[in-house]
Amino acid sequence: MTAEAPTVVDQLEGYRRELRGFAYRMLGSPQDAEDAVQNAMVRAWRSADRFDGRSSVRTWLYRIVTNVCLDELNARKRRALPVDLEDEASRPVVESLGAPLPAGSFVEPVLDDLVVDPADVVVGRESVRLAFLSALQHLPASQRAVLILRDVLAWPASDVAALLEISVAAANSQLQRARETMRAVRESSRSARPRGSREEEERLLARYVAAFERYDMTALASMLAEDALMSMPPFRLHLRGREDLIAWFSGPGAECKGSRVRAVDVNGGPGFAQWRRQPRGGFRAWGVHAVVVRDGEVAEETVFLGPEIFRALGLPETLEA
C-alpha cells in the first residue's frame, strides 16, 4: 500500500520560513513580513482546490506572497535608517531624542534564525544586513522583487518572469536597473567598506557586551572606531564619532547602567538585546543593538528601541532580578 501524496494544504506550512525571509527583505519589518505570509497562507488555503499544478506549490505560493508585498509597498512610503535622513538629524548629545517618528518609518531588525536558511547561511546573512535592506528601500517594488528573487534566491530569469507575469526581457531589464541603483546607493554609503570576518565579529562582540554590562566607558571607548556611528530608531537622532557616543553613554544614556544583556545574531551580524533595570526590581525590554565590526572595531551600532521590537522578535519583555 503506497502512502497518499500530501495535498496542497498539507504542504503550505513547510514554506513559511522561506516566505517570511522573502517578505522581510521586501518589507523591511519582521511583523509586516509575518502578516504578509499569514495573508498569503490564508489566500492559498482558500484557493487550494483551484491549484492546477501547472507550476510547483512553491512557485504558486511565492506568486501569492509577492502580490501581497507589492500591494503593501504601493500603499506606503519607503522605510529608512536614521543615518539615511538629512544631516540635521545629528544633534549635540546633550539634547533629548525628541518625538519618535511614526511606525513604519524605519527598517526593523530581525533575528537570523527567523529568516536565514540554514542551508545557505552565508548568502542569507549578507542579504539581511541592515545596509542591504536600507539600499533595497530605494528600489521600486517590482524591481525589489526581481532583485531578491534573482540575486538572493537564485531563481532563473524565466521563473521570475513567469511569477511576475512579464517577459524575460522585461525581468532582465528590471534586474539590471535594480543592480545599478543598489551599486550607486551602497558605494555612496559606509556599507561599501569591508566588514570583519564572522569570527572577528563574534570575538569583539563578546568583549563589547561584557563592557556594556559593566558600563565600563574606558573599555567601550577602546573598542569604538574614531568615526563610529550610533542611531536609535524610532528617533531621528544619530551620533557621529567615538567622543559623541561616549558622551551619550555617560550622559543621557547613563540610565542604561546596570542593564541585563544577551548576545543575539541580528540581521546577519552580531548584536545584543538589552533589558534596563527597573526601580521596583526586575528588568524591562529596552533595545536591540545591531553592531557592525570593521578593522577590529565597532564601526556602527543601531539600537532599535521599544518593547514592540522584542515582541516581534519573540524575545521576553521582562526579566526577573
Side-chain angles (χ1 to χ4, degrees):
M1 183 176 179
T2 59
E4 185 176 346
T7 66
V8 170
V9 171
D10 293 334
Q11 299 178 59
L12 296 183
E13 194 60 33
Y15 292 100
R16 182 178 291 273
R17 180 185 184 137
E18 64 175 283
L19 292 174
R20 185 195 297 124
F22 171 75
Y24 174 68
R25 293 172 177 97
M26 286 288 290
L27 302 175
S29 161
Q31 187 57 61
D32 287 356
E34 187 61 43
D35 290 345
V37 171
Q38 188 59 33
N39 188 340
M41 289 291 186
V42 171
R43 293 188 188 185
W45 179 78
R46 288 175 174 170
S47 60
D49 59 341
R50 298 194 297 275
F51 176 68
D52 56 15
R54 285 185 294 178
S55 65
S56 67
V57 172
R58 181 172 183 257
T59 299
W60 177 63
L61 286 172
Y62 267 93
R63 179 178 294 113
I64 296 172
V65 79
T66 298
N67 287 332
V68 171
C69 290
L70 293 176
D71 289 344
E72 172 71 15
L73 290 171
N74 288 332
R76 71 178 195 197
K77 296 181 179 179
R78 74 177 179 91
R79 292 176 180 266
L81 288 171
V83 293
D84 298 324
L85 302 178
E86 62 270 18
D87 290 340
E88 286 78 9
S90 186
R91 307 169 187 163
V93 298
V94 295
E95 293 189 11
S96 68
L97 288 172
L101 292 185
S105 298
F106 294 116
V107 171
E108 296 174 355
V110 73
L111 300 184
D112 289 3
D113 59 6
L114 294 178
V115 296
V116 173
D117 183 355
D120 199 3
V121 69
V122 175
V123 172
R125 281 176 173 159
E126 289 304 314
S127 65
V128 293
R129 299 282 194 182
L130 289 173
F132 181 79
L133 291 169
S134 181
L136 280 175
Q137 303 300 305
H138 292 268
L139 299 179
S142 59
Q143 287 185 26
R144 196 180 307 183
V146 170
L147 185 124
I148 295 169
L149 290 167
R150 290 293 313 279
D151 285 358
V152 177
L153 302 180
W155 281 40
S158 57
D159 290 356
V160 174
L163 183 146
L164 296 175
E165 299 181 339
I166 58 178
S167 69
V168 172
N172 286 334
S173 177
Q174 289 204 33
L175 177 63
Q176 181 179 353
R177 292 198 300 273
R179 285 173 174 170
E180 290 171 352
T181 299
M182 291 287 285
R183 188 179 304 113
V185 171
R186 299 183 75 180
E187 286 179 354
S188 66
S189 72
R190 292 163 59 97
S191 64
R193 294 162 51 183
R195 300 175 61 110
S197 68
R198 186 66 179 179
E199 293 75 18
E200 181 184 39
E201 289 179 334
E202 290 174 351
R203 286 195 301 269
L204 184 62
L205 178 71
R207 293 169 47 218
Y208 193 80
V209 166
F212 189 91
E213 195 158 34
R214 298 193 311 271
Y215 223 62
D216 183 337
M217 294 298 107
T218 300
L220 288 172
S222 72
M223 288 178 271
L224 287 168
E226 185 177 358
D227 62 347
L229 292 179
M230 186 170 75
S231 58
M232 290 163 276
F235 299 95
R236 301 172 69 91
L237 176 69
H238 58 273
L239 307 173
R240 296 177 181 271
R242 180 194 299 133
E243 185 177 336
D244 273 6
L245 267 66
I246 294 301
W248 175 268
F249 287 144
S250 303
E255 292 182 2
C256 291
K257 186 175 183 179
S259 293
R260 286 271 183 87
V261 296
R262 179 190 302 172
V264 293
D265 293 326
V266 57
N267 285 92
F272 60 97
Q274 175 196 353
W275 292 262
R276 233 165 62 164
R277 185 186 296 278
Q278 297 300 294
R280 297 183 180 180
F283 300 82
R284 184 163 179 78
W286 179 252
V288 174
H289 301 237
V291 175
V292 174
V293 174
R294 293 193 180 96
D295 299 323
E297 298 175 313
V298 172
E300 298 176 32
E301 185 169 352
T302 306
V303 189
F304 296 92
L305 301 175
E308 64 278 1
I309 296 294
F310 285 67
R311 288 194 293 271
L313 300 182
L315 294 169
E317 291 186 50
T318 59
L319 298 178
E320 298 297 326

